[in-house]
Amino acid sequence: MANEPRGAVASLESLASRFVLESSGRRKSAVARPANAIGLSMASGELESEPHSHRESQLVYLVRGELICEASNSLWIVPPQSALWIPGSVMHRIRARAPLEGYGVFVEPGAAPNLPRDCCAVSVTPLFRELLLRLATRPALYDLEGPDARLVSVLLDELATVSIEKHRLPMPIDPRLHRLVDAMTADPANRATTKTWAKRIGVGERTLNRLLVEETGLSFGRWRQQLHIILAIQKLSRGASVQSVALDLGYESASSFVTMFRKALGTSPARYMASRLATPA
């Protein structure tokens, strides 16, 4: 496989074999170490896991491909050269689309006190990436007093300094809002007003805005924009053009879509994807 990640590589389908099931229903690593890394690969098809949790915290770093995670009443999309942090014991479900290559890191509870306490999409620094690739080549039962243990210590220090990325879409719980989410996701180009959407799900406009703010922290307009950002990243990662993404999301022109994207993420869609798809040195 071209550009195959270095080190031990496991298919996503076989990853579960590295864990044992506790009486609480959580999975835990069969290897007792502060942290361990493994390369991940999926050559074809799609994969959707059952909702599950790990005793360890987990970081999934994507080299290429597409990965979506549902956890903590939110949906995250993980584009190439980004990572998702899932704290221990958090119930989550992952969907992946091939061809996919990446790495997983599993961190024991208490191994590092300053790691994020909530799920989040994070940026990956060149140093962290190299530490991760190096750790993935080391034995699972590395010497706790040797160089590999020091490598893990530096990796955990670096992980504690990561920057949070805006790849999160908060998901409401109210069943009426679930209908709204399903309808807007199925037809993202629909530019209907808040009043029209409220009528379609059987609530008043003020009630719709109040419920969205209470359950997601975002107004209707801000939530719809974040939905568009998530869908845009997904489509661009699959190779769609900026013009076609703008059309699919209901923008009058590519330039208006680019303006929205730049305001949200600080760069244009083309530059964003160029940085994601570039092969790290």
Side-chain angles (χ1 to χ4, degrees):
M1 183 180 297
N3 298 321
E4 185 172 359
R6 289 170 281 174
V9 179
S11 69
L12 290 186
E13 295 91 336
S14 67
L15 185 59
S17 65
R18 296 177 60 90
F19 296 88
V20 295
L21 196 64
E22 294 185 307
S23 59
S24 62
R26 295 180 304 180
R27 298 174 186 173
K28 70 174 183 178
S29 174
V31 178
R33 287 296 183 270
N36 244 303
I38 183 172
L40 305 173
S41 176
M42 190 167 74
S44 61
E46 299 182 3
L47 176 71
E48 181 170 348
S49 75
E50 294 294 329
H52 65 282
S53 66
H54 304 276
R55 186 171 63 88
E56 295 91 351
S57 297
Q58 176 182 5
L59 181 128
V60 180
Y61 165 57
L62 210 59
V63 176
R64 70 167 180 152
E66 178 185 315
L67 189 143
I68 296 173
C69 179
E70 298 175 41
S72 302
N73 297 325
S74 296
L75 183 146
W76 281 269
I77 185 164
V78 185
Q81 312 308 324
S82 188
L84 180 69
W85 172 254
I86 306 171
S89 301
V90 171
M91 191 68 66
H92 59 282
R93 180 170 63 181
I94 287 177
R95 303 198 303 270
R97 178 183 172 119
L100 180 145
E101 298 172 9
Y103 291 86
V105 186
F106 299 91
V107 182
E108 277 285 323
N114 298 319
L115 300 182
R117 296 188 177 184
D118 299 311
C119 284
C120 54
V122 300
S123 61
V124 175
T125 65
L127 174 58
F128 182 84
R129 181 182 183 276
E130 291 306 313
L131 291 167
L132 175 54
L133 267 60
R134 182 66 175 271
L135 183 60
T137 68
R138 308 310 301 149
L141 288 169
Y142 55 80
D143 183 357
L144 290 172
E145 302 297 330
D148 292 337
R150 293 192 290 272
L151 174 68
V152 168
S153 179
V154 176
L155 182 141
L156 293 177
D157 285 344
E158 187 70 8
L159 181 56
T161 67
V162 293
S163 300
I164 307 301
E165 295 190 318
K166 298 179 180 180
H167 298 154
R168 171 179 175 262
L169 180 67
M171 300 294 282
I173 299 175
D174 187 285
R176 294 166 294 181
L177 295 185
H178 263 292
R179 295 199 299 272
L180 173 71
V181 171
D182 291 343
M184 292 181 69
T185 302
D187 186 16
N190 191 320
R191 309 298 289 186
T193 64
T194 313
K195 183 176 181 179
T196 300
W197 280 116
K199 185 176 181 180
R200 289 177 182 175
I201 65 170
V203 300
E205 182 178 5
R206 292 180 62 183
T207 299
L208 172 56
N209 274 314
R210 176 179 57 79
L211 287 173
L212 266 177
V213 170
E214 287 178 355
E215 296 203 6
T216 71
L218 300 176
S219 66
F220 176 84
R222 289 288 303 279
W223 190 91
R224 176 157 62 181
Q225 176 179 293
Q226 190 62 18
L227 171 66
H228 284 178
I229 289 293
I230 295 296
L231 293 176
I233 292 173
Q234 183 182 56
K235 292 174 183 291
L236 291 166
S237 296
R238 293 178 179 179
S241 68
V242 172
Q243 182 71 43
S244 67
V245 173
L247 183 64
D248 289 346
L249 297 182
Y251 287 84
E252 295 180 356
S253 65
S255 61
S256 60
F257 164 68
V258 170
T259 297
M260 181 280 294
F261 193 98
R262 182 182 286 115
K263 285 182 178 179
L265 296 183
T267 188
S268 69
R271 289 185 177 180
Y272 177 89
M273 289 313 302
S275 67
R276 298 287 167 177
L277 300 179
T279 302

